[in-house]
Amino acid sequence: MADGGSYQAIGAALGAPRLNQALAARSSLWAVCNCGREAALDASHWLGQGLGRHCIEDLEERVRCECGARRARLEIRGLAEAPQRPMGGVYVFR
C-alpha cells in the first residue's frame, strides 16, 4: 500500500479452497448458479486430469447450468449443509 502497509486478500490469507479438499471425509463439491439452481458435483473427472491442487474458483468456468449460464460458483460443503429443496441442473462441462 502507499503508506507502507501490506494488504493480503482474505482468500490468500486463509488459503483458497482446493479441489482435493472436496474429497475429505464428510465433504462434497457443490455448484451454485445465479438462477438459484445448485447441485452436488462429481469431481472425479477433474481429479483424473490432475486438477486436484487447483483452487475451486479456477474451475468455475468448467460448469454449466440448464438456464444457459456458462459459470457457477463452486463451494465445498459438509454433509449437514445439503439444501432441503430439490436440486440439480448444474453440470461439469469439461
Side-chain angles (χ1 to χ4, degrees), residues 11 15-21 51-60 74:
R18 305 212 178 265
L19 181 62
N20 56 8
Q21 292 173 326
L51 301 176
R53 291 188 173 196
H54 279 69
C55 295
I56 59 172
E57 290 177 4
D58 296 340
L59 301 171
E60 291 178 350
L74 296 178

Side-chain angles (χ1 to χ4, degrees), residues 11-62:
L14 299 176
R18 305 212 178 265
L19 181 62
N20 56 8
Q21 292 173 326
L23 296 179
R26 305 183 62 82
S27 295
S28 56
L29 182 67
W30 286 78
V32 181
C33 183
N34 287 334
C35 74
R37 286 185 177 94
E38 53 186 20
L41 298 180
D42 178 13
S44 62
H45 180 70
W46 288 337
L47 293 170
Q49 294 177 16
L51 301 176
R53 291 188 173 196
H54 279 69
C55 295
I56 59 172
E57 290 177 4
D58 296 340
L59 301 171
E60 291 178 350
E61 294 175 350
R62 295 177 176 229

